[in-house]
Amino acid sequence: MKKSTSCPGNPLASPFSRREFLNVGLLGGLGLTLPEFLRIQAMGAQKHYETVEGKAKAVIQIFLPGGLAQHESFDPKPYAPPEYRGPFSSIKTSIPGIHFGEKLPHLAKIAHKITVINSMSHGEAAHERGTHNMFTGYRPSPAVEYPSMGSVISKEFGPKNNLPPYVCVPNVPNEYANSGYLSSAHGPFALGADPARGNFKVRDLNLPGGVDEARFNRRKSLLETVDHHFRTLENSDALESMDAFYQHAYKLISSEKAREAFNLEKEPDKLRDSYGRNQAGQRMILARRLVEAGVRFVSLTSGSWDHHDNLQKGIESNLPSVDQAVAALINDLEERGLLDSTLVILSTEFGRTPKINNTGGRDHWPRVFSTMMAGGGVKKGMVFGKSDALGGEPEEDKVSVEDFAKTIYHQLGINADKELMAPGERPIEIVDGGRVLKEILA
C-alpha cells in the first residue's frame, strides 16, 4: 500500500489516494447516492445567459413512442374507403364541425381548450431519426450531437425553487433526450421509479435509513473536511465538480419543498382517480406537481405505438388511458390557474400509413401526422393545418419540425435564432430555420 501524500498535520492523512477512497465506497457511506443527473450536473456547467421568461413558464412534454396513428386520433377520415378509414369511427368534439377518433372522448369534450396540428411533417421514417427530430428540432447529424429541448431550457433558465430544471418521468426515454453538445450539467434528472407503481418514491431524495437530521449535518461537516483534504492533495477539476455535486445534493435532500414536489401521496385519491390509476395517469399528475413546484421542463412517455400489426388492439390498449390522463391534466392545470403558464405538448415521432396493411396495422409515415398543444399562450379550440382526403400528405399549412420547436421556444421567451457554443467553439443556432407559428398563438 502506497504512502499518503497528504500534508503534515492533516487529521485525515491516510494511505489512500482519492481514487482509492472513492473506490472503497467511503463517500457512498456518507449517505448520498443521488441519480446520475446530480452526479454529473456540476461537471463543467456552462455559464447561464440572461433570458426573460415568456408566456409559458414551464413545459410538459408527453411523448408517445412508436408513432401515433393520425387516423385513429386527431385526424379521422370518416368518408375515406374502409382500407384507409380504419377500424374505428369518429366522434364530435366541442369545436363545431371538428371530429376526433372515437377513442378520444375525453379530449373531444375539451377540444375547445386545445390546439391540434394536423399537418406536421418531416422526412424521417426510422424511429430513431424521427424521435431525434421531435426532441431536438434538428435532423440527425453524424457530426453534431444536438441537445434536447429540455436541456436547452435548462441551460437558458437554470433551476428554480431548488428543483432540477429538467426532469424525465420515469427515466430518460431515449438518447436524444440528453444534453448533446451542451454540458452534461443540463441533462435530465431521471426519477428511476414509475409513479404508477405502488409505494412510489424517487430514489435518493430521502435520507438513508438510520440517518437523522443531526447525523446528516455531522456527515456534511465530515464531507467538508474530506473535500478540504483532497483539495490539498491535488488541484482537480473533477474534485471541484464533486464538491458542487454534493452541494446540490444536500440542498435537494434538505429541502422539504423539493421532496414534497415528488410526493404523490399528497394528492387526493379522487384527483388521482380522475387521471387514471395507470401509467399515463400517474405520470401526468406527477408532471403537474413538478411544474407547480418549479420544474421548468417535464418529459414523460406513455404506451407503445408501433402498430404494424393489429392496430385495433393496439389503440384499444393504449389510447383510452392517455386520452383520460391528458384531459385530466389540462382541466387540473386550468382549475389551479396554471394552464396559461404551462405549455402541454402531446407528440410522437411520426404518423402511420394512410392505408391499412395486410396484417391490420399501419406502417411508418412521416409525411403527415398530428400533434397537440394546450396552455402556455396557445390558442384554444383550434385545428391548424389540414391533411388530404386520405390522411397521407399535408394539404394546408404544412408544419415542419423546426416550426414546432421554434414555437415552443418562443412561448418560453427563448430566441431560437440564438447561437450556442458546441465543442471547438462552433456556434450553432438553437433551431436552424423554421418560423414561429403565430397563427396558433393567443
Side-chain angles (χ1 to χ4, degrees):
M1 190 175 291
K2 60 188 177 182
K3 293 182 179 180
S4 169
T5 58
S6 61
C7 297
N10 191 312
L12 283 175
S14 78
F16 293 104
S17 69
R18 182 173 70 88
R19 182 179 298 278
E20 290 166 330
F21 186 92
L22 294 172
N23 285 345
V24 299
L26 185 52
L27 288 182
L30 296 175
L32 293 174
T33 55
L34 279 172
E36 192 66 16
F37 163 77
L38 287 179
R39 195 178 307 280
I40 66 176
Q41 186 180 39
M43 300 292 188
Q46 297 182 9
K47 181 181 178 181
H48 282 294
Y49 292 85
E50 187 70 23
T51 302
V52 179
E53 290 182 339
K55 289 186 177 180
K57 314 301 180 188
V59 175
I60 297 176
Q61 177 194 46
I62 304 161
F63 189 76
L64 306 183
L68 172 66
Q70 64 275 21
H71 294 70
E72 279 66 47
S73 55
F74 295 105
D75 195 15
K77 300 297 179 182
Y79 304 111
E83 64 269 28
Y84 291 88
R85 184 168 66 241
F88 301 106
S89 61
S90 64
I91 57 175
K92 293 180 179 181
T93 72
S94 58
I95 306 173
I98 298 298
H99 289 67
F100 290 168
E102 68 170 279
K103 295 301 177 181
L104 290 179
H106 293 88
L107 284 171
K109 290 179 182 178
I110 65 160
H112 59 285
K113 300 180 183 182
I114 68 178
T115 282
V116 170
I117 299 174
N118 277 335
S119 55
M120 280 293 305
S121 180
H122 62 70
E124 305 290 351
H127 289 292
E128 296 81 4
R129 296 179 70 85
T131 300
H132 183 284
N133 284 357
M134 300 306 291
F135 272 79
T136 69
Y138 269 90
R139 293 184 64 184
S141 166
V144 182
E145 289 187 31
Y146 293 102
S148 64
M149 285 189 282
S151 290
V152 172
I153 291 164
S154 172
K155 180 187 183 301
E156 290 300 293
F157 289 112
K160 181 180 178 182
N161 295 343
N162 237 3
L163 284 161
Y166 174 23
V167 176
C168 285
V169 180
N171 295 304
V172 181
N174 55 71
E175 61 185 299
Y176 315 116
N178 282 305
S179 56
Y181 62 73
L182 296 178
S183 165
S184 54
H186 305 300
F189 175 93
L191 302 188
D194 196 330
R197 297 180 179 178
N199 300 318
F200 163 71
K201 288 184 179 179
V202 178
R203 59 188 178 192
D204 304 319
L205 287 187
N206 296 307
L207 293 175
V211 180
D212 58 18
E213 293 294 334
R215 189 178 176 194
F216 172 77
N217 289 328
R218 288 197 301 272
R219 286 182 169 185
K220 182 177 180 181
S221 298
L222 174 61
L223 179 63
E224 290 170 349
T225 308
V226 170
D227 286 342
H228 172 75
H229 167 66
F230 285 143
R231 283 194 297 271
T232 304
L233 287 177
E234 54 187 302
N235 182 16
S236 168
D237 290 340
L239 183 58
E240 292 300 318
S241 298
M242 191 64 74
D243 290 343
F245 157 65
Y246 274 106
Q247 182 181 19
H248 192 170
Y250 278 117
K251 285 181 180 179
L252 187 55
I253 290 177
S254 61
S255 168
E256 183 67 22
K257 184 175 181 179
R259 292 201 300 268
E260 285 302 301
F262 296 89
N263 187 2
L264 271 182
E265 297 303 317
K266 293 292 186 179
E267 295 293 333
D269 286 342
K270 185 176 180 180
L271 185 60
R272 293 185 69 178
D273 291 343
S274 73
Y275 276 78
R277 296 279 185 160
N278 48 48
Q279 182 190 88
Q282 299 310 290
R283 290 179 183 184
M284 290 187 209
I285 194 171
L286 180 61
R288 190 228 77 216
R289 282 189 68 82
L290 293 176
V291 299
E292 188 174 29
V295 175
R296 297 186 184 277
F297 192 96
V298 181
S299 180
L300 64 93
T301 60
S302 185
S304 177
W305 307 84
D306 196 20
H307 301 145
H308 292 279
D309 308 303
N310 199 345
L311 173 75
Q312 181 172 354
K313 181 180 178 181
I315 291 294
E316 289 174 342
S317 299
N318 287 272
L319 195 51
S321 62
V322 169
D323 170 55
Q324 177 183 350
V326 175
L329 172 64
I330 292 168
N331 287 332
D332 194 9
L333 288 168
E334 184 180 51
E335 290 171 9
R336 293 169 187 271
L338 294 171
L339 185 58
D340 288 342
S341 61
T342 304
L343 181 60
V344 179
I345 304 164
L346 179 67
S347 63
T348 189
E349 65 257 47
F350 44 53
R352 313 301 294 190
T353 48
K355 189 175 182 179
I356 299 288
N357 63 26
N358 292 334
T359 56
R362 297 186 192 270
D363 302 314
H364 301 178
W365 195 258
R367 294 183 187 177
V368 70
F369 59 105
S370 299
T371 57
M372 187 216 81
M373 306 174 86
V378 171
K379 285 182 179 177
K380 299 178 180 181
M382 182 178 191
V383 175
F384 182 75
K386 181 180 178 182
S387 66
D388 62 22
L390 298 179
E393 301 285 347
E395 188 171 278
E396 295 178 6
D397 298 316
K398 180 179 177 179
V399 174
S400 70
V401 169
E402 294 82 6
D403 298 336
F404 190 65
K406 208 160 199 173
T407 303
I408 293 168
Y409 285 127
H410 177 270
Q411 290 309 96
L412 286 158
I414 295 173
N415 180 1
D417 293 326
K418 176 181 176 178
E419 293 179 338
L420 304 179
M421 284 297 174
E425 298 299 310
R426 177 184 175 186
I428 299 178
E429 292 180 333
I430 293 175
V431 179
D432 184 10
R435 70 180 185 91
V436 175
L437 300 172
K438 295 183 178 179
E439 298 93 329
I440 72 170
L441 302 181

